[in-house]
Amino acid sequence: MIKKYVNAHIYGNSEADEILIENRQFKAVGNNLPEADEVIDLEGRLVLPPYVDPHLHLDYIFSGLGEGNANISGTLFEGIQRWSDNKKSLTEEMVRERALKGIQKELNHGVQFIRTHVDITDPNLTGMKALIKLREELKDIVTIQLVAFPQEGFFRYQGAEALMIKALEMGADVLGGIPHFEISYEHGVESLKRIVDLAIKYNVMIDIHCDENDDPNSRFLEVLNAFVMEKDYGKYTTASHTTSFGSVENSYANKMLGLFKESQINFISCPTENAHLQGRGDTYPKRRGLTRVKELLANGNNVAFAQDSIADYWYPLGNGNMMNILDNGIHLAHYTHIDEINKAFDLITYHGANIMRVNDAYGIEEGKPANFIVLDAKDPYEAIRERAEVLMSIRHGEYIFKREVRKNELAIDLLSESTK
Ligand code: 17E
Ligand code: FE2
């Protein structure tokens, strides 16, 4: 069965307007392509590689629902405390159910690649066990990467290092950390040193919850960057959140930008999550809670946006809609010049794929897996301005979903002849 999609506006490719699919792969991307068994007319709509959500906590999804579960102060620390108090009753079935709900939501919005942090500060590694099974079960419809994440601290939680190694041996893809939660600066530094050494030893990537605070003196990003720069491991390393980097002095930031350029370390910003969590100690002016997204991009560093939470102890909202994340993120980061808007989809597509290092299987190019989405808009500017819906999500040439353009049953139409 050969399928052909015609009249496509392919993101980042102004030459081609047709896509030919055979055997789960892109057979050709171009113009006037050969005949196919089925031809689908996209009527000029925007085609993108699937959305990537490179930072999500699938084991926490919906933990914040229900009476008495709300995070009153709205801070990171209250979130961690509430999770710690409640996680003891967690079972594999509960994690599986939560994760399935979250993944379904993300799939419904056109996501096909997810990196999830899984709390390993749990003697039974309940979350890791459940998610390793799901990663395998669902691999045909969604690519999942698992981060062994010590939510309660690498040192602060007794035995976290051994649990992390166990998670690696079970098959975790990435090592996490949370240096700003350790009991001293020295403990945070030592945790990063050990995590970097472990990651190199086990040949896995690194993704640290790093300086997720408003403290301009929080310096773990500098330390992480130094360790990975020395080992030439920046490309395999991601600093998530780094919200404090939005609070540091310009003179310090400029020095650091030079070092980030050298190391090529990656960044993830979670705009809705951190707009909610940060600035809680401020009156006015009140901080936006983001890292220096625009400056890091201009510096040549890879930056991606992510959802982080869906109704958990840290954040009461979230539905897996990456368009909402992108919309919030570009506003908060002032990434709103037309030239920036035109390339902003990179932040929820290619940049996340770079972080997950799935580039070989990602992008609308001949020979790659036929994974893509179609938006109800003619170009990136219209798509972002209108927050366009995803109309189709296709994985290995098959539909994950396909939906009709929304139609009114009844409406006043100011633009039609009859209302003149
Ligand atoms: N854990 C953490 O340390 N920070 C967050 N933003 C979330 C979980 C959601
Ligand atoms: Fe997170």
Side-chain angles (χ1 to χ4, degrees), residues 2-300:
I2 302 180
K3 276 194 203 172
K4 185 162 74 163
Y5 289 81
V6 300
N7 293 319
H9 177 142
I10 302 168
Y11 181 62
N13 180 348
S14 54
E15 314 273 288
D17 65 355
E18 294 189 353
I19 299 168
L20 201 67
I21 296 170
E22 190 181 13
N23 283 337
R24 297 158 59 92
Q25 291 184 337
F26 294 118
K27 189 179 163 65
V29 180
N31 309 297
N32 303 314
L33 296 178
E35 281 312 300
D37 303 306
E38 190 186 346
V39 177
I40 299 109
D41 186 355
L42 295 179
E43 299 171 336
R45 293 198 175 88
L46 182 64
V47 172
L48 295 162
Y51 289 155
V52 178
D53 187 356
H55 188 129
L56 184 63
H57 294 261
L58 285 171
D59 47 349
Y60 299 173
I61 286 179
F62 290 146
S63 58
L65 292 184
E67 223 170 299
N69 271 340
N71 179 333
I72 312 287
S73 63
T75 60
L76 170 73
F77 296 109
E78 185 176 335
I80 297 176
Q81 189 56 51
R82 284 185 179 270
W83 170 247
S84 178
D85 292 343
N86 284 276
K87 73 187 199 185
K88 279 136 201 133
S89 58
L90 205 66
T91 63
E92 267 190 66
E93 291 66 38
M94 282 165 74
V95 176
R96 181 186 167 83
E97 202 177 305
R98 286 175 175 187
L100 282 172
K101 283 183 184 162
I103 295 165
Q104 183 68 64
K105 284 184 177 297
E106 299 240 328
L107 281 177
N108 287 350
H109 286 110
V111 175
Q112 291 183 26
F113 295 83
I114 298 173
R115 174 182 281 183
T116 179
H117 291 253
V118 190
D119 183 11
I120 55 90
T121 51
D122 158 16
N124 302 315
L125 294 174
T126 310
M128 192 51 81
K129 284 179 189 155
L131 284 161
I132 279 178
K133 288 182 192 146
L134 273 187
R135 178 182 64 184
E136 178 61 22
E137 254 175 69
L138 302 178
K139 66 171 191 258
D140 271 349
I141 52 171
V142 56
T143 303
I144 299 176
Q145 268 179 9
L146 305 174
V147 186
F149 171 51
Q151 177 67 78
E152 295 193 60
F154 184 88
F155 288 119
R156 199 160 168 181
Y157 186 90
Q158 288 271 317
E161 186 170 15
L163 287 162
M164 210 170 212
I165 293 170
K166 211 164 159 191
L168 278 173
E169 281 163 358
M170 284 162 67
D173 306 284
V174 186
L175 278 191
I178 183 163
H180 53 274
F181 190 64
E182 305 293 347
I183 59 174
S184 76
Y185 175 71
E186 283 71 17
H187 289 76
V189 170
E190 183 61 20
S191 77
L192 288 175
K193 186 170 187 307
R194 297 231 197 149
I195 291 161
V196 171
D197 287 347
L198 263 181
I200 292 172
K201 180 172 168 202
Y202 281 83
N203 192 25
V204 294
M205 293 174 278
I206 299 167
D207 191 334
I208 304 293
H209 280 66
C210 197
D211 298 333
E212 191 183 10
N213 56 34
D214 293 323
D215 176 2
N217 297 313
S218 199
R219 288 288 188 263
F220 296 112
L221 175 55
E222 175 181 319
V223 174
L224 172 65
N225 186 65
F227 285 152
V228 297
M229 199 168 116
E230 281 177 341
K231 304 269 167 79
D232 199 17
Y233 215 65
K235 279 206 217 62
Y236 307 96
T237 302
T238 298
S240 279
H241 301 295
T242 64
T243 51
S244 75
F245 199 58
S247 287
V248 300
E249 282 282 332
N250 288 338
S251 59
Y252 174 72
N254 290 335
K255 169 197 158 181
M256 288 316 303
L257 285 167
L259 293 168
F260 300 153
K261 192 175 234 160
E262 246 179 81
S263 71
Q264 281 300 299
I265 190 170
N266 302 279
F267 290 85
I268 291 176
S269 169
C270 305
T272 53
E273 174 85 9
N274 289 120
H276 166 80
L277 286 176
Q278 308 316 131
R280 291 284 169 170
D282 296 347
T283 52
Y284 286 93
K286 200 176 276 222
R287 277 169 279 195
R288 292 178 176 220
L290 257 65
T291 193
R292 286 166 140 89
V293 171
K294 196 175 159 111
E295 293 75 10
L296 288 165
L297 286 166
N299 196 48

Side-chain angles (χ1 to χ4, degrees), residues 11 294 330 334-345 379-385:
Y11 181 62
K294 196 175 159 111
I330 62 173
H334 280 169
Y335 202 65
T336 38
H337 184 281
I338 181 64
D339 295 343
E340 293 166 336
I341 295 169
N342 277 332
K343 59 185 176 188
F345 273 113
D379 57 38
Y381 178 41
E382 183 184 78
I384 291 174
R385 197 176 68 241

